[in-house]
Amino acid sequence: MEANQRRLDRHPEYTRQTARWLKEITMPTPTCARAPNARALGHLFQFAGTAMVVTVLSSATLAQPTVTESPKSGPPTDRVGVSGAGFAADEAVDIYFDTTDLALATTNRVGSFTGIHLMIPASALPGKHWITGVGRRSGLGAQTSFVVQTDWTQFHRGPQRHGYNSTENVLNVANVAGLQALWKAVTLKAVESPPSVANGVAYVGSDDHSLYAFQSDTGKLLWRAVTGDAIYTAPTVGNGVVYAGSADNTLYAFNAVTGRPIWSAATGGCLCSSPALANGVVYVGSDDGNLYAFNAASGQLIWRATLSGEALASSPAVANGVVYQAAGAILTAFDAATGQPIWTAVALYTIETTPAIADGVMYIGSNNGNLYAFNAATGQQIWSAAASALDSSPAVANGIVYIGGEDSHLHAFDAATGTPIWSATTNGLIDSSPAIANGVVYVGSSGGDVDAYNAATGQLLWSAATGGSIYSSPVVANGTVYIGSSDGNLYAYGLPPARLPAQPKPDGLKSDPTLAAQK
């Protein structure tokens, strides 16, 4: 109560108005017990009305301030919008991320502000952090939590299929050797599906006809959804829905939290292609030789494009309003909205790998042993480089393209010229597609190992054995490496947990006097 009174005393609106009103409503001392006259009643009503005004003012002043943000989770370097209410009128409010003062807001005459933008620091580790607002004049403070996540939500991380987690900030060249087995989660048959990780859940398909959801930090089974046949490809997660293609010719959409079926859409062949989600549309290739575009919310067919009539083992990639799909030896670029072809290109031999789009170039491997680079806008070939027979899909980061070969080597090429940079020997042929994060490239092999290499030099930094051959692809999310194995398990490897910043006390935060108020 005393603290609240001190807050009221700091408000000039309160002190000036209250003093004036109290002076005006001083009541005369009654001299008799007779009924009050009109003048006395007038004073009484004036006092009651003024008391109500003071009460309203006091309640408004004592209302707890609030701070809200949107979105409530995201990766480092993401931009977050912050709003607040319940502060003093026309005052400066410092906005902190953990203990760092990042922005200065100015409230309006009712003590609110909106439209303040923060950039989540690149060093913010995955987990719960705090956004705090503190009024410079009133001292009022409010907090809300923000969850930092470096998720991997689709095959090769996103619809561009570049296989690069640019926001990973836990694992690096210096510490990856310290990776330890965190958990393994069992399914009933081989796990050839690459996993996807979103919002604290690891999703993976199994040859046992099921899609699994495991708690990403413990491996605890959250739910299991059954389809009509094996799930060989990666699930895709977005907007509270997880999409999975099955060898029963059907694309399924499940509630990502509960596993409840939302919709399913039939095609004419096995879905051995990982679905791509972009701009509210799910794209998937089928062994019936067609590329499909479905409304992500309803499952309604938007368009279907017939390719060469061959089965589509390659998954679609989506970038800048264009869908890229391989069928046989033919590459085709389609308008993502209409399905109309834009260009075609020939790779001379069957393609079973998925294109990767980066910096206006499409990279793809062929079973003739060549890695190709095409102009993503025109389809013109830029270069080709010899590797070996390729079922692994390329990954691209920092000017280097990585791809695994059936010669039991992981290869690295200059992304601009195709010049070989290095190759590293693995414990078996590579059908697994590499993943890149924070200077490290990860890949699995048929020998059952998952390996981590220095992305610049090819030096082996870490290796772990699973109980079977690996045809799944690794993902790196929130400081953890996930990969499936033909032994029926999903494996998770990580470092000992890092300590996150404690929840700060608003009155102990130090403001930055150099900040200018955001307009």
Side-chain angles (χ1 to χ4, degrees), residues 307-331:
L307 288 94
S308 64
E310 298 191 40
L312 303 186
S314 172
S315 299
V318 188
N320 302 315
V322 180
V323 185
Y324 303 88
Q325 179 68 59
I330 307 297
L331 297 162

Side-chain angles (χ1 to χ4, degrees), residues 81-405:
V82 180
S83 302
F87 294 89
D90 302 314
E91 79 164 330
V93 178
D94 288 286
I95 310 299
Y96 299 82
F97 185 87
D98 291 332
T99 58
T100 303
D101 196 359
L102 293 183
L104 188 64
T106 303
T107 64
N108 57 23
R109 60 184 180 180
V110 296
S112 301
F113 65 87
T114 188
I116 301 302
H117 292 95
L118 302 183
M119 179 177 286
I120 303 303
S123 59
L125 298 177
K128 182 186 283 189
H129 296 259
W130 298 93
I131 295 175
T132 307
V134 180
R136 286 190 175 180
R137 187 173 77 247
S138 67
L140 296 171
Q143 290 180 319
T144 185
S145 62
F146 180 88
V147 178
V148 172
Q149 297 173 328
T150 60
D151 289 346
W152 189 293
T153 60
Q154 303 189 38
F155 174 61
H156 252 191
R157 190 153 194 259
Q160 301 88 356
R161 313 297 203 192
H162 48 56
Y164 175 41
N165 190 340
S166 62
T167 60
E168 168 61 32
N169 60 8
V170 177
L171 300 176
N172 55 50
V173 170
N175 66 17
V176 71
L179 281 174
Q180 303 170 3
L182 300 179
W183 53 261
K184 66 178 180 180
V186 65
T187 75
L188 301 180
K189 285 191 177 180
V191 177
E192 301 179 63
S193 160
S196 294
V197 178
N199 302 315
V201 182
Y203 303 90
V204 74
S206 170
D207 288 8
D208 68 6
H209 304 190
S210 300
L211 176 69
Y212 290 83
F214 299 103
Q215 191 166 310
S216 63
D217 57 350
T218 66
K220 177 185 176 182
L221 177 64
L222 300 175
W223 54 259
R224 174 189 175 198
V226 178
T227 69
D229 209 329
I231 299 175
Y232 299 121
T233 59
T236 293
V237 190
N239 302 315
V241 181
V242 55
Y243 306 89
S246 171
D248 68 0
N249 306 349
T250 303
L251 178 66
Y252 293 88
F254 300 97
N255 182 292
V257 175
T258 66
R260 179 182 60 83
I262 299 174
W263 57 257
S264 62
T267 73
C270 170
L271 294 186
C272 298
S273 161
S274 296
L277 175 63
N279 301 316
V281 180
V282 183
Y283 304 90
V284 69
S286 171
D287 278 5
D288 65 7
N290 289 303
L291 174 64
Y292 292 83
F294 295 102
N295 182 291
S298 67
Q300 181 180 358
L301 179 65
I302 299 172
W303 55 259
R304 180 180 64 187
T306 301
L307 288 94
S308 64
E310 298 191 40
L312 303 186
S314 172
S315 299
V318 188
N320 302 315
V322 180
V323 185
Y324 303 88
Q325 179 68 59
I330 307 297
L331 297 162
T332 307
F334 297 91
D335 184 287
T338 66
Q340 291 300 308
I342 299 172
W343 56 256
T344 60
V346 179
L348 301 179
Y349 207 77
T350 302
I351 298 171
E352 297 182 353
T353 73
T354 294
I357 315 299
D359 300 318
V361 181
M362 183 189 73
Y363 303 90
I364 196 163
S366 169
N367 281 350
N368 68 358
N370 286 332
L371 174 66
Y372 294 89
F374 295 90
N375 183 300
T378 66
Q380 181 179 359
Q381 183 177 318
I382 300 171
W383 55 258
S384 68
S388 76
L390 300 173
D391 286 328
S392 170
S393 297
V396 190
N398 303 313
I400 302 178
V401 186
Y402 307 87
I403 195 165

